[in-house]
Amino acid sequence: MSERQPTLRERRRFETRRLVQAHAVRLFTDHGYDAVTVADVAEAAGVSAMTVYRHFPTKEDLVLIDQPAQLIAEQVAASSATQPLVRRVGGALIDAATALTGGNGDEPEANERFLLDCLRLMVSTPALRARHLDSQYALQQAIVDALGGDATDPDAAFRAQAATSACMAAMHTALTRWTEDDGHTKLPDLVTRALAASFGDDAVATYRKG
Amino acid sequence: MSERQPTLRERRRFETRRLVQAHAVRLFTDHGYDAVTVADVAEAAGVSAMTVYRHFPTKEDLVLIDQPAQLIAEQVAASSATQPLVRRVGGALIDAATALTGGNGDEPEANERFLLDCLRLMVSTPALRARHLDSQYALQQAIVDALGGDATDPDAAFRAQAATSACMAAMHTALTRWTEDDGHTKLPDLVTRALAASFGDDAVATYRKG
DNA sequence: ATCCAAGTGTTAGTTACTAACGTGATGGTA
DNA sequence: TACCATCACGTTAGTAACTAACACTTGGAT
């Protein structure tokens, strides 16, 4: 029971943050990312522009969502080192996709709706797409570290980088397709299919049959 | 002989463009990308800030280099459709790497030196890295189009996207490693190894043995 | 009740970038 | 050779994304 309930200030802070982000995504979706200024977002949310920057360092961060990097890294670190690289990383990504979307029915819920709105913006807006790709790149570094290969072997490190980046790319393709389908296709399935298209069916066989 | 020689105006224009870019990369390398303003670059090059923007739409474009997208796309389109996707795309990328670096001795020449300076900045500076990744993403779309799969089959299109993005990611890993090695390792070899690490040795066998 | 710090607002900057207009040199043409 | 349209560049004014510094209000602990 180390879970202490959040104080009033924390709740307020979190609430304004959520409010600002919700208004931002709505305005961006309605009028386009470039056509909406940070001042517009602030006014819609009923706060000052400075407050927006206090919660989100840049305008782009209003849309970018934190990927469960910690979760994925732990999953990778826990996987058996005897398996091929793409299977270790790919398996973790499939599990992360399952955790992210709940993996239940075919109708996305409210939380998923917001995620889809953000992803749509990320795919269609160049500035956001670039930042999103770079955050995936950061996640890639975390995964490579979690793979825990022999740090003294530069060739092994290179192979780990290459395999991981390829897996991340497949994941990104699945995410893009997921937004195009408006979340109606199950994300873990899309990730699995993307990995299979890249690395062959046998590379993800255990996940398809299990 | 449809090659008409460039007029004086064109030569002057190209020269100022080259001058501005050279000063920019030098200043960015010496003092860091963020610490140097566009006005600084303009002053160093002996032009006005407006002239910089006339040649380079954004500050980032001072460093970003055009990828030989056209070349790669044609190569992909010309490859045999009976081969696996990753081999078609991977082969084109290896060929492009060969064309880009000349593929001669181990000591990089002047042109390659500049390319390496730009790549170093792209890897180390977040804003540039993001833009670079997005330009690779644009190239990916061109490659997928060049693959020319059945446009009416969404599943085939999805597999093409996944396989291509994974190849591009391996290519990026090779580029990163190439800059870390200061261009002393042959780029085509690095690309080949990155592809092999992702998709298995047999996926690029013809290129390793041939 | 009191004090501290967190959250917010306000103001004044810097910098990337755009739009509009003026100027001098260049290149084709009469 | 004379003319003029166009191109490259400069100047100025403006917008918008941020940043720094300071003041104010309010929640939370003593």
Side-chain angles (χ1 to χ4, degrees):
Chain A
M1 293 296 182
S2 66
E3 298 285 324
R4 60 177 185 82
Q5 61 175 347
T7 173
L8 173 59
R9 244 205 295 246
E10 283 171 338
R11 264 182 291 140
R12 275 233 230 276
R13 176 169 177 77
F14 186 82
E15 185 53 27
T16 55
R17 180 194 156 87
R18 205 194 55 77
L19 192 73
V20 167
Q21 191 173 32
H23 279 281
V25 171
R26 182 179 55 78
L27 288 175
F28 292 158
T29 302
D30 289 353
H31 308 107
Y33 177 78
D34 293 320
V36 177
T37 71
V38 174
D40 293 336
V41 173
E43 190 183 350
V47 298
S48 78
M50 196 61 216
T51 296
V52 176
Y53 285 116
R54 290 243 169 71
H55 287 271
F56 303 92
T58 76
K59 184 184 176 185
E60 295 157 0
D61 286 295
L62 282 164
V63 181
L64 298 169
I65 36 185
D66 304 0
Q67 314 204 22
Q70 189 68 30
L71 181 78
I72 297 177
E74 287 172 5
Q75 204 113 23
V76 169
S79 65
S80 164
T82 61
Q83 289 182 319
L85 288 174
V86 293
R87 183 173 292 194
R88 292 181 66 189
V89 178
L93 291 179
I94 294 173
D95 291 343
T98 308
L100 192 65
T101 58
N104 49 357
D106 57 341
E107 199 56 35
E109 40 187 314
N111 195 15
E112 248 177 77
R113 284 245 148 268
F114 182 73
L115 185 65
L116 279 166
D117 288 338
C118 290
L119 280 172
R120 247 188 299 274
L121 284 167
M122 284 189 235
V123 171
S124 59
T125 310
L128 294 174
R129 193 175 49 216
R131 273 287 310 262
H132 177 61
L133 288 168
D134 194 52
S135 80
Q136 279 209 340
Y137 186 72
L139 174 55
Q140 176 187 326
Q141 304 309 317
I143 292 178
V144 169
D145 290 344
L147 280 171
D150 186 357
T152 63
D153 183 356
D155 193 54
F158 177 68
R159 284 199 304 272
Q161 283 280 352
T164 303
S165 68
C167 288
M168 300 289 301
M171 169 83 173
H172 184 260
T173 304
L175 270 178
T176 304
R177 176 59 176 269
W178 190 57
T179 68
E180 289 170 357
D181 283 353
D182 231 27
H184 286 87
T185 314
K186 286 187 195 164
L187 183 56
D189 286 357
L190 286 173
V191 176
T192 305
R193 284 170 51 204
L195 290 168
S198 301
F199 309 114
D201 294 309
D202 47 341
V204 284
T206 39
Y207 285 88
R208 297 192 89 176
K209 292 172 186 168
Chain B
M1 292 298 181
S2 65
E3 300 282 325
R4 61 177 185 83
Q5 60 177 347
T7 174
L8 173 60
R9 247 207 294 245
E10 285 170 336
R11 265 182 291 139
R12 276 233 230 275
R13 176 170 175 77
F14 186 82
E15 185 54 28
T16 55
R17 182 194 154 88
R18 207 194 54 77
L19 192 71
V20 167
Q21 192 172 32
H23 279 282
V25 171
R26 182 180 55 78
L27 287 175
F28 292 158
T29 302
D30 289 353
H31 308 107
Y33 178 78
D34 294 318
V36 177
T37 71
V38 175
D40 292 337
V41 173
E43 190 183 351
V47 298
S48 78
M50 197 60 215
T51 296
V52 177
Y53 285 115
R54 288 244 168 70
H55 288 273
F56 303 92
T58 75
K59 184 184 176 185
E60 295 158 0
D61 286 294
L62 284 162
V63 181
L64 298 169
I65 36 188
D66 305 0
Q67 313 204 24
Q70 189 68 29
L71 181 79
I72 297 178
E74 286 172 4
Q75 205 114 21
V76 169
S79 64
S80 164
T82 61
Q83 290 183 319
L85 287 173
V86 292
R87 184 175 291 196
R88 291 180 68 189
V89 178
L93 292 179
I94 293 173
D95 291 344
T98 307
L100 192 66
T101 58
N104 49 357
D106 56 341
E107 199 56 35
E109 41 189 312
N111 196 14
E112 248 177 75
R113 284 244 148 270
F114 183 73
L115 185 65
L116 280 167
D117 288 338
C118 290
L119 280 172
R120 247 187 299 274
L121 283 168
M122 284 189 235
V123 171
S124 60
T125 309
L128 294 174
R129 193 174 50 216
R131 274 286 311 263
H132 176 61
L133 288 169
D134 195 51
S135 80
Q136 279 210 340
Y137 186 72
L139 174 55
Q140 174 186 327
Q141 305 309 317
I143 292 178
V144 169
D145 290 344
L147 279 171
D150 185 357
T152 62
D153 182 356
D155 193 53
F158 178 67
R159 283 199 304 272
Q161 283 280 354
T164 303
S165 68
C167 288
M168 299 289 301
M171 170 84 171
H172 185 261
T173 304
L175 270 179
T176 303
R177 176 58 175 269
W178 190 57
T179 67
E180 289 169 356
D181 283 354
D182 232 26
H184 285 87
T185 313
K186 286 185 192 165
L187 183 57
D189 287 357
L190 286 174
V191 176
T192 305
R193 284 170 50 203
L195 290 168
S198 301
F199 310 113
D201 294 309
D202 48 338
V204 286
T206 38
Y207 285 90
R208 298 193 87 177
K209 292 170 184 169

